[in-house]
Amino acid sequence: MRRRSLRKPYITIIEELIKFALSVFLLSVLVFTLARLAPGDPLYAYYGERVEKMSGQEQEAARERLGLDKPIPVQYMRWAKGAAHGDFGISYQYKRDVKEVIAGRIGNTLLLGGLGFVMIFILALFLGLFCAWREDKRADRVVCRIGTLTSCIPDFWLSLLLILVFSVWLGWLPSSGAYSVGAEKGFADRVRHLILPLAVVVLGHLWYYAYLVRNRLLEETRADYVLLARMKGLSGKQVLYRHCLRNVMPSYLSMMAIAFPHILGGTYVAETVFSYPGIGTLAYESARYQDYNLLMVVSLMTGILVILGNMFAKILNERIDPRMRLKREAQKEEVRGF
Amino acid sequence: MDVLTVKNLSVSFYRPTGEIEAVKNVSFSLRPGEILVIMGDTGCGKSVLCKSIVKLLPDIARIKTGQIFFQGKEITDYTEKGMQELRGTSFSMVFQNPMTALNPCMSVGAQIAEAVRLRCPEISRRELRNRVIELLELVELDCPKERAGQYPFQLSGGMAQRCVIATALAANPAVLFADEPTTSLDTEVQAQILDLFLELREKMGMAVIFITHNPKVAARVADRVALMRAGELYRIGDAEEIFEETIHNHH
Ligand SMILES: Nc1ncnc2c1ncn2[C@@H]1O[C@H](COP(=O)(O)OP(=O)(O)O)[C@@H](O)[C@H]1O
Ligand SMILES: [Mg+2]
């Protein structure tokens, strides 16, 4: 404890940075190696069906041109050298710079995932509070049952169901894409295309977090301090909002920080079923067709997001929870005193 | 007139396995300004008795029979709304473990302030702060100004219990329920808190229902003593009388 308290704050930052860099490096080695060990031929991504008509010699030449003939460590060194200069190679499938391919799509995923995250964040809190307030009453039971049901339906099945109802039967909403051809800038058109995928993203995660909030709140309502608060003359609902919620918030916020990459990464089912041009579809395609360079960047982006989410959660937790915050401040005092 | 009268009160818990009679046919009354000690072994129904009077029983428990009168008015059938009016102003409670009775994520000052503001919502920030400090001084917490901004985990058990008592006294209750308020404290701190109860009773004139299973604690504060066993209140009388009797019975 003593040694730790004497550490200067910037050392902690350097430590975190080293940890971060190491994690990213290990992740890149892992993805790089695994992708190459997986069965399949990246030439298919580049040439499509034409590969089958190419002679052995032609295939060798193509491999050499793409740098796929060398042993894996050598290939990795080459990739790493390029990556250090911001050059991540070209996508075999799109025959364009990987960065360009991603840049064209990332906005769509951020919109879908970001909006989904915000909605999940708010709705989960709201639903959890509602259920905790009506604990074991009819409303709580009904919401719990519906929630369990929706979280049991697989995402792709739910997507198909929604397409069937809202696109095929009712014809209210489009079943695929991010916008209609020729209406790329139309706001209303954009929203109409977003509704169904967003519904899948939100419904896929919502109950998990809402139920967690509900149960954490109910745990709190059993705590002793609730009795003291009730004895002041507060109603059960007031105690829930003013006391229990406050105690649940630190863990909810850090949980949601970890959930952010999870939800953003979880858009791929919705993207795939709705042919929504985002990173999710890209990740799926790149893994399936051995589009190595693209796969690397998409995996690294996701990995970095996960690591950052976890770091953010830790910082958040230390700032919000008074117990942890005051412990930190006491440590800082000691450093200054020293 | 008695501040609180309980007549033939029975409380049961309804579990899937069956009914548990926690309080059986209990009757007693509480005189203004007195300290009535309810004594009995763990599990005999002391806490349930208190909670049933202030109607903070868990959902599975119910008052089966009996009547409760507060200052001559029957409150047995009061709804939650009516009870909320009574809690804080007429009834207050102090608990066994002060560390868990305070919200861990709120400064103690804020928790006391909440109780004050609930009864006078128009109070200014400055007045509120003064009132909180005043209450902390009343319960003889040292350095009340600094302590008000601290969190429960920064306080010792004795200090935390003083804060709980300050919260309970915020709206000048007529009856204070103290449910084993010293059981979790060291002997020395225990004595200080007992003295505090006696002092507060002098200053504020509220009646106290003091629960304990410790005869020494009872002897120190009691005006009258009620004895409980297995849900029944089988004897009530002046402190000296009861203690003499029990000593007699033991020898
Ligand atoms: N939540 C509960 N569920 C079922 N029975 C309970 C519950 N709480 C208390 N009881 C019953 O009430 C009796 C009295 O409990 P309590 O009043 O807490 O005892 P004490 O005198 O130690 O304060 C217990 O012995 C138990 O049988
Ligand atoms: Mg008890």
Side-chain angles (χ1 to χ4, degrees):
Chain A
M1 209 55 227
R2 180 124 194 97
R3 201 174 60 84
R4 186 164 243 285
S5 65
L6 288 177
R7 249 191 288 173
K8 303 241 168 20
Y10 66 80
I11 297 197
T12 338
I13 295 173
I14 291 175
E15 220 181 69
E16 290 296 318
L17 281 176
I18 291 173
K19 259 193 251 169
F20 177 76
L22 212 64
S23 315
V24 174
F25 169 71
L26 285 178
L27 181 67
S28 71
V29 172
L30 204 70
V31 176
F32 199 89
T33 316
L34 284 180
R36 267 146 248 255
L37 292 178
D41 193 338
L43 287 188
Y44 274 96
Y46 202 92
Y47 294 105
E49 299 296 312
R50 272 185 294 146
V51 179
E52 277 155 32
K53 300 203 186 81
M54 285 160 81
S55 69
Q57 247 172 356
E58 278 173 320
Q59 282 190 18
E60 282 310 307
R63 253 178 247 285
E64 209 181 314
R65 237 177 328 109
L66 293 174
L68 293 167
D69 54 334
K70 307 275 188 321
I72 294 177
V74 177
Q75 283 187 43
Y76 180 80
M77 286 310 292
R78 206 155 117 196
W79 176 85
K81 214 182 272 172
H85 293 97
D87 173 16
F88 294 94
I90 61 156
S91 155
Y92 302 153
Q93 199 189 347
Y94 293 91
K95 322 229 166 23
R96 273 194 297 153
D97 192 329
V98 166
K99 279 178 296 186
E100 268 176 50
V101 177
I102 288 175
R105 299 232 185 170
I106 196 156
N108 290 340
T109 291
L110 282 178
L111 187 69
L112 179 62
L115 220 54
F117 176 79
V118 172
M119 285 179 71
I120 290 167
F121 185 95
I122 296 168
L123 287 176
L125 209 53
F126 182 80
L127 267 180
L129 267 169
F130 177 77
C131 286
W133 174 48
R134 311 294 310 172
E135 185 198 355
D136 258 350
K137 303 247 164 48
R138 171 108 57 80
D140 174 39
R141 292 216 193 115
V142 169
V143 173
C144 280
R145 204 157 294 162
I146 294 173
T148 314
L149 204 72
T150 53
S151 66
C152 282
I153 301 175
D155 282 359
F156 70 89
W157 205 85
L158 183 67
S159 312
L160 293 177
L161 194 74
L162 290 176
I163 291 177
L164 196 66
V165 174
F166 291 98
S167 305
V168 180
W169 287 350
L170 299 172
W172 288 350
L173 295 165
S175 65
S176 75
Y179 30 71
S180 311
V181 181
E184 276 82 354
K185 294 258 148 51
F187 178 73
D189 180 64
R190 200 69 218 260
V191 170
R192 273 162 46 80
H193 280 85
L194 207 54
I195 292 175
L196 289 184
L198 194 60
V200 171
V201 171
V202 171
L203 289 178
H205 291 92
L206 179 59
W207 186 243
Y208 177 81
Y209 297 106
Y211 194 61
L212 244 126
V213 171
R214 172 189 180 271
N215 290 349
R216 281 283 291 112
L217 277 171
L218 287 182
E219 232 171 74
E220 291 293 325
T221 60
R222 311 278 188 271
D224 269 2
Y225 69 80
V226 169
L227 280 179
L228 182 66
R230 291 296 299 274
M231 277 312 288
K232 293 175 188 173
L234 293 171
S235 71
K237 201 171 159 189
Q238 282 171 322
V239 174
L240 196 65
Y241 281 109
R242 295 194 199 167
H243 287 265
C244 301
L245 186 59
R246 180 195 295 263
N247 287 337
V248 169
M249 247 6 229
S251 59
Y252 182 63
L253 285 178
S254 56
M255 193 173 75
M256 289 319 276
I258 293 170
F260 183 66
H262 199 74
I263 290 169
L264 207 62
T267 55
Y268 74 92
V269 175
E271 287 185 7
T272 310
V273 180
F274 290 97
S275 317
Y276 185 87
I279 300 290
T281 16
L282 218 53
Y284 174 75
E285 283 171 12
S286 62
R288 173 142 186 218
Y289 299 114
Q290 262 77 31
D291 195 343
Y292 292 152
N293 290 336
L294 193 56
L295 181 64
M296 277 305 279
V297 176
V298 171
S299 320
L300 282 183
M301 269 176 18
T302 314
I304 289 171
L305 207 60
V306 170
I307 297 169
L308 286 182
N310 281 305
M311 272 161 94
F312 188 61
K314 207 173 106 191
I315 295 169
L316 215 57
N317 223 341
E318 283 176 3
R319 301 267 149 195
I320 300 176
D321 193 322
R323 278 161 292 194
M324 295 182 79
R325 189 180 65 216
L326 286 161
K327 211 154 77 192
R328 260 171 78 94
E329 272 161 23
Q331 283 174 11
K332 268 193 217 147
E333 290 287 289
E334 251 179 82
V335 173
R336 274 193 222 116
F338 187 74
Chain B
M1 189 181 31
D2 296 330
V3 258
L4 185 72
T5 307
V6 172
K7 278 189 195 158
N8 307 95
L9 186 72
S10 296
V11 180
S12 283
F13 283 82
Y14 296 89
R15 297 240 144 196
T17 47
E19 180 185 341
I20 303 166
E21 294 181 293
V23 171
K24 293 175 209 158
N25 205 30
V26 166
S27 301
F28 70 90
S29 54
L30 182 70
R31 297 167 192 163
E34 77 166 342
I35 298 185
L36 172 67
V37 168
I38 298 180
M39 208 160 72
D41 292 332
T42 306
C44 72
K46 306 181 296 290
S47 299
V48 172
L49 175 61
C50 284
K51 283 180 191 159
S52 62
I53 295 169
V54 298
K55 302 241 179 72
L56 281 181
L57 289 168
D59 289 340
I60 56 163
R62 232 190 4 254
I63 295 179
K64 248 170 67 179
T65 59
Q67 287 170 300
I68 303 163
F69 297 87
F70 173 68
Q71 293 177 337
K73 220 166 116 193
E74 182 165 5
I75 59 165
T76 324
D77 296 325
Y78 266 34
T79 56
E80 175 59 26
K81 195 110 203 104
M83 285 312 292
Q84 268 171 39
E85 293 293 315
L86 288 181
R87 289 187 209 123
T89 48
S90 304
F91 299 139
S92 244
M93 202 180 278
V94 175
F95 302 88
Q96 176 168 351
N97 187 345
M99 284 314 199
T100 55
L102 291 166
N103 188 334
C105 287
M106 245 169 126
S107 72
V108 290
Q111 299 190 49
I112 299 168
E114 187 180 36
V116 175
R117 198 162 22 180
L118 199 64
R119 296 307 171 192
C120 33
E122 276 94 61
I123 195 167
S124 74
R125 269 170 164 270
R126 194 205 198 93
E127 273 176 281
L128 185 62
R129 189 174 159 70
N130 288 342
R131 178 82 182 114
V132 169
I133 305 288
E134 218 175 271
L135 281 162
L136 288 174
E137 275 163 0
L138 181 69
V139 296
E140 289 160 22
L141 190 73
D142 41 44
C143 320
K145 287 199 177 97
E146 289 94 79
R147 296 277 182 233
Q150 291 190 326
Y151 290 85
F153 69 95
Q154 292 171 292
L155 306 178
S156 70
M159 290 194 267
Q161 192 60 290
R162 285 175 198 273
C163 293
V164 173
I165 297 171
T167 312
L169 297 180
N172 276 317
V175 180
L176 179 65
F177 294 89
D179 189 351
E180 313 220 19
T182 58
T183 307
S184 69
L185 305 174
D186 304 335
T187 333
E188 201 179 317
V189 186
Q190 201 168 32
Q192 292 169 5
I193 297 284
L194 290 179
D195 287 343
L196 178 65
F197 270 99
L198 290 170
E199 252 173 69
L200 288 172
R201 190 263 304 260
E202 291 303 317
K203 275 191 209 161
M204 313 199 37
M206 78 273 186
V208 180
I209 291 187
F210 194 106
I211 291 178
T212 181
H213 60 257
N214 183 346
K216 277 191 197 137
V217 169
R220 186 143 178 174
V221 292
D223 296 324
R224 286 198 304 148
V225 176
L227 300 176
M228 275 186 83
R229 185 198 298 135
E232 284 175 274
L233 196 154
Y234 65 95
R235 180 85 177 86
I236 184 164
D238 285 335
E240 286 113 55
E241 201 183 309
I242 299 261
F243 285 122
E244 228 159 76
E245 240 174 62
T246 40
I247 290 165
H248 253 80
N249 294 348
H250 277 275
H251 293 283

